[in-house]
mmCIF file of all heavy atoms in Angstrom:
data_model
loop_
_atom_site.group_PDB
_atom_site.id
_atom_site.type_symbol
_atom_site.label_atom_id
_atom_site.label_comp_id
_atom_site.label_asym_id
_atom_site.label_seq_id
_atom_site.Cartn_x
_atom_site.Cartn_y
_atom_site.Cartn_z
ATOM 1 N N ARG X 486 -10.200 -4.859 -33.118
ATOM 2 C CA ARG X 486 -11.552 -4.895 -32.555
ATOM 3 C C ARG X 486 -12.011 -6.347 -32.444
ATOM 4 O O ARG X 486 -11.609 -7.208 -33.240
ATOM 5 C CB ARG X 486 -12.537 -4.138 -33.454
ATOM 6 C CG ARG X 486 -12.311 -2.652 -33.555
ATOM 7 C CD ARG X 486 -12.828 -1.906 -32.346
ATOM 8 N NE ARG X 486 -14.271 -1.790 -32.315
ATOM 9 C CZ ARG X 486 -14.963 -0.835 -32.947
ATOM 10 N NH1 ARG X 486 -14.321 0.066 -33.693
ATOM 11 N NH2 ARG X 486 -16.271 -0.759 -32.831
ATOM 12 N N GLY X 487 -12.855 -6.618 -31.480
ATOM 13 C CA GLY X 487 -13.441 -7.946 -31.329
ATOM 14 C C GLY X 487 -14.549 -7.896 -30.306
ATOM 15 O O GLY X 487 -14.785 -6.866 -29.661
ATOM 16 N N SER X 488 -15.245 -9.000 -30.128
ATOM 17 C CA SER X 488 -16.380 -9.038 -29.213
ATOM 18 C C SER X 488 -15.961 -9.538 -27.838
ATOM 19 O O SER X 488 -14.982 -10.292 -27.706
ATOM 20 C CB SER X 488 -17.485 -9.936 -29.769
ATOM 21 O OG SER X 488 -17.086 -11.303 -29.703
ATOM 22 N N LEU X 489 -16.719 -9.138 -26.841
ATOM 23 C CA LEU X 489 -16.470 -9.622 -25.483
ATOM 24 C C LEU X 489 -16.550 -11.139 -25.438
ATOM 25 O O LEU X 489 -15.772 -11.794 -24.728
ATOM 26 C CB LEU X 489 -17.484 -9.013 -24.511
ATOM 27 C CG LEU X 489 -17.302 -9.412 -23.046
ATOM 28 C CD1 LEU X 489 -16.121 -8.682 -22.429
ATOM 29 C CD2 LEU X 489 -18.569 -9.140 -22.241
ATOM 30 N N SER X 490 -17.472 -11.721 -26.205
ATOM 31 C CA SER X 490 -17.646 -13.176 -26.192
ATOM 32 C C SER X 490 -16.391 -13.906 -26.638
ATOM 33 O O SER X 490 -16.159 -15.055 -26.244
ATOM 34 C CB SER X 490 -18.830 -13.566 -27.086
ATOM 35 O OG SER X 490 -20.032 -13.012 -26.596
ATOM 36 N N ASP X 491 -15.587 -13.249 -27.466
ATOM 37 C CA ASP X 491 -14.340 -13.858 -27.934
ATOM 38 C C ASP X 491 -13.135 -13.400 -27.119
ATOM 39 O O ASP X 491 -11.985 -13.672 -27.490
ATOM 40 C CB ASP X 491 -14.107 -13.490 -29.404
ATOM 41 C CG ASP X 491 -15.176 -14.061 -30.326
ATOM 42 O OD1 ASP X 491 -15.680 -15.151 -30.028
ATOM 43 O OD2 ASP X 491 -15.508 -13.400 -31.335
ATOM 44 N N GLY X 492 -13.388 -12.714 -26.012
ATOM 45 C CA GLY X 492 -12.330 -12.072 -25.256
ATOM 46 C C GLY X 492 -11.262 -13.007 -24.725
ATOM 47 O O GLY X 492 -10.084 -12.636 -24.652
ATOM 48 N N VAL X 493 -11.629 -14.219 -24.341
ATOM 49 C CA VAL X 493 -10.648 -15.163 -23.785
ATOM 50 C C VAL X 493 -9.537 -15.404 -24.800
ATOM 51 O O VAL X 493 -8.343 -15.317 -24.486
ATOM 52 C CB VAL X 493 -11.323 -16.479 -23.375
ATOM 53 C CG1 VAL X 493 -10.265 -17.515 -22.975
ATOM 54 C CG2 VAL X 493 -12.296 -16.245 -22.223
ATOM 55 N N GLN X 494 -9.906 -15.715 -26.045
ATOM 56 C CA GLN X 494 -8.908 -15.987 -27.070
ATOM 57 C C GLN X 494 -8.226 -14.706 -27.535
ATOM 58 O O GLN X 494 -7.014 -14.682 -27.783
ATOM 59 C CB GLN X 494 -9.551 -16.688 -28.267
ATOM 60 C CG GLN X 494 -8.551 -17.061 -29.358
ATOM 61 C CD GLN X 494 -7.462 -17.986 -28.852
ATOM 62 O OE1 GLN X 494 -7.742 -19.005 -28.204
ATOM 63 N NE2 GLN X 494 -6.200 -17.648 -29.126
ATOM 64 N N LEU X 495 -8.999 -13.621 -27.631
ATOM 65 C CA LEU X 495 -8.427 -12.373 -28.126
ATOM 66 C C LEU X 495 -7.331 -11.856 -27.201
ATOM 67 O O LEU X 495 -6.317 -11.314 -27.676
ATOM 68 C CB LEU X 495 -9.526 -11.326 -28.293
ATOM 69 C CG LEU X 495 -10.501 -11.574 -29.443
ATOM 70 C CD1 LEU X 495 -11.628 -10.544 -29.416
ATOM 71 C CD2 LEU X 495 -9.775 -11.544 -30.785
ATOM 72 N N PHE X 496 -7.514 -11.996 -25.892
ATOM 73 C CA PHE X 496 -6.466 -11.561 -24.968
ATOM 74 C C PHE X 496 -5.173 -12.328 -25.216
ATOM 75 O O PHE X 496 -4.081 -11.757 -25.174
ATOM 76 C CB PHE X 496 -6.915 -11.724 -23.515
ATOM 77 C CG PHE X 496 -7.172 -10.434 -22.814
ATOM 78 C CD1 PHE X 496 -8.401 -9.813 -22.920
ATOM 79 C CD2 PHE X 496 -6.182 -9.812 -22.080
ATOM 80 C CE1 PHE X 496 -8.652 -8.614 -22.295
ATOM 81 C CE2 PHE X 496 -6.406 -8.609 -21.445
ATOM 82 C CZ PHE X 496 -7.654 -8.004 -21.553
ATOM 83 N N GLN X 497 -5.303 -13.610 -25.459
ATOM 84 C CA GLN X 497 -4.109 -14.404 -25.768
ATOM 85 C C GLN X 497 -3.434 -13.876 -27.026
ATOM 86 O O GLN X 497 -2.205 -13.714 -27.078
ATOM 87 C CB GLN X 497 -4.513 -15.870 -25.973
ATOM 88 C CG GLN X 497 -5.116 -16.542 -24.752
ATOM 89 C CD GLN X 497 -4.079 -16.994 -23.742
ATOM 90 O OE1 GLN X 497 -2.878 -16.867 -23.963
ATOM 91 N NE2 GLN X 497 -4.533 -17.507 -22.609
ATOM 92 N N ASP X 498 -4.249 -13.601 -28.053
ATOM 93 C CA ASP X 498 -3.700 -13.153 -29.333
ATOM 94 C C ASP X 498 -3.099 -11.755 -29.219
ATOM 95 O O ASP X 498 -1.985 -11.495 -29.710
ATOM 96 C CB ASP X 498 -4.793 -13.155 -30.396
ATOM 97 C CG ASP X 498 -5.341 -14.549 -30.670
ATOM 98 O OD1 ASP X 498 -4.655 -15.544 -30.333
ATOM 99 O OD2 ASP X 498 -6.468 -14.640 -31.212
ATOM 100 N N TRP X 499 -3.840 -10.836 -28.600
ATOM 101 C CA TRP X 499 -3.441 -9.438 -28.576
ATOM 102 C C TRP X 499 -2.259 -9.183 -27.647
ATOM 103 O O TRP X 499 -1.581 -8.155 -27.774
ATOM 104 C CB TRP X 499 -4.613 -8.563 -28.160
ATOM 105 C CG TRP X 499 -5.705 -8.487 -29.184
ATOM 106 C CD1 TRP X 499 -5.627 -8.819 -30.499
ATOM 107 C CD2 TRP X 499 -7.052 -8.044 -28.967
ATOM 108 N NE1 TRP X 499 -6.836 -8.594 -31.127
ATOM 109 C CE2 TRP X 499 -7.724 -8.126 -30.219
ATOM 110 C CE3 TRP X 499 -7.756 -7.580 -27.853
ATOM 111 C CZ2 TRP X 499 -9.070 -7.757 -30.370
ATOM 112 C CZ3 TRP X 499 -9.088 -7.213 -28.000
ATOM 113 C CH2 TRP X 499 -9.734 -7.306 -29.234
#
Side-chain angles (χ1 to χ4, degrees):
R486 294 282 285 276
S488 71
L489 182 75
S490 298
D491 296 327
V493 172
Q494 183 59 49
L495 289 174
F496 250 85
Q497 297 280 357
D498 297 340
W499 291 343

